[in-house]
Amino acid sequence: MTRPHVLLSVAVSLDGHIDDRGTERFPLSNAEDFDHVDRMRAESDAILAGAETLRRDNARLLVYSDERRARRIADGKPEFPLRVTVTRSGDLDPGLRFFHCGGERLVYTRSARTTVEHLAETKTFSDFAEILDDLGARGVRKLMVEGGTSIHTAFLEAGLADEIRVAVAPMLIGQATAPRFVNPAEFPGGPARRFHLEDVTKVGDVAVLRYFPKVTSERA
């Protein structure tokens, strides 16, 4: 069975935060980078975000460009990639925008029942490797993971991420309790291991870094 290529996508401030402590999502990136993210979504077979990201951002995980959606259809693909969320409790607000737009939706849960069974396919899981196996069996070859913190941590801790795209915004959040890219964890290779840096791109005032976490830097 072929597991999908897993791309983690995140925008961070210079001091390492992905958001501030406010109730509304804090825009770290710029219009050019948002468009680049939309292109990557269009190139993906599935987009995944955790339940907390859906709750906090009311995220839809859509491809917004009409041209890109039309190109997907012309290529024999669904208009939208499969949209996936992961929840431990199964307790999701049925009113979230995720459940009322776009194409197919899939909910992985550790609970026997969810509050959204009437709105999406639901499937129980034990670990993230099992999720990748199931997505691979569904024909997903490229999975884009858009957070949040606990989801990114889980993929990296289990050694399941193939690529990390980090958009570094020229901003300082300055709040000790603001959310970060990952939580403390025992990552493969420990703190001394260096990831391979594939490239760095300037996107307006944002620096986009691509890392391959399964490849150790030659300079380690």
Side-chain angles (χ1 to χ4, degrees), residues 162 164 193-199 209-218:
D162 298 289
I164 309 172
R193 182 168 177 266
R194 302 169 72 97
F195 295 163
H196 169 72
L197 175 64
E198 180 64 12
D199 61 46
L209 294 74
R210 287 178 63 220
Y211 289 100
F212 293 169
K214 291 183 179 179
V215 181
T216 299
S217 168
E218 295 178 358

Side-chain angles (χ1 to χ4, degrees), residues 109-175:
T109 176
R110 288 206 168 117
S111 172
R113 297 189 61 82
T114 74
T115 55
V116 292
E117 292 174 359
H118 59 299
L119 296 172
E121 179 185 354
T122 62
K123 186 175 178 64
T124 58
F125 77 102
S126 58
D127 57 35
F128 281 75
E130 184 179 344
I131 289 177
L132 293 186
D133 287 338
D134 184 63
L135 289 174
R138 295 169 184 264
V140 173
R141 294 295 171 258
K142 185 172 183 180
L143 171 66
M144 185 173 177
V145 179
E146 297 198 27
T149 301
S150 62
I151 298 296
H152 281 149
T153 302
F155 274 101
L156 287 167
E157 187 176 22
L160 297 173
D162 298 289
E163 182 177 348
I164 309 172
R165 180 192 187 272
V166 184
V168 183
M171 309 164 77
L172 297 169
I173 299 297
Q175 300 170 352

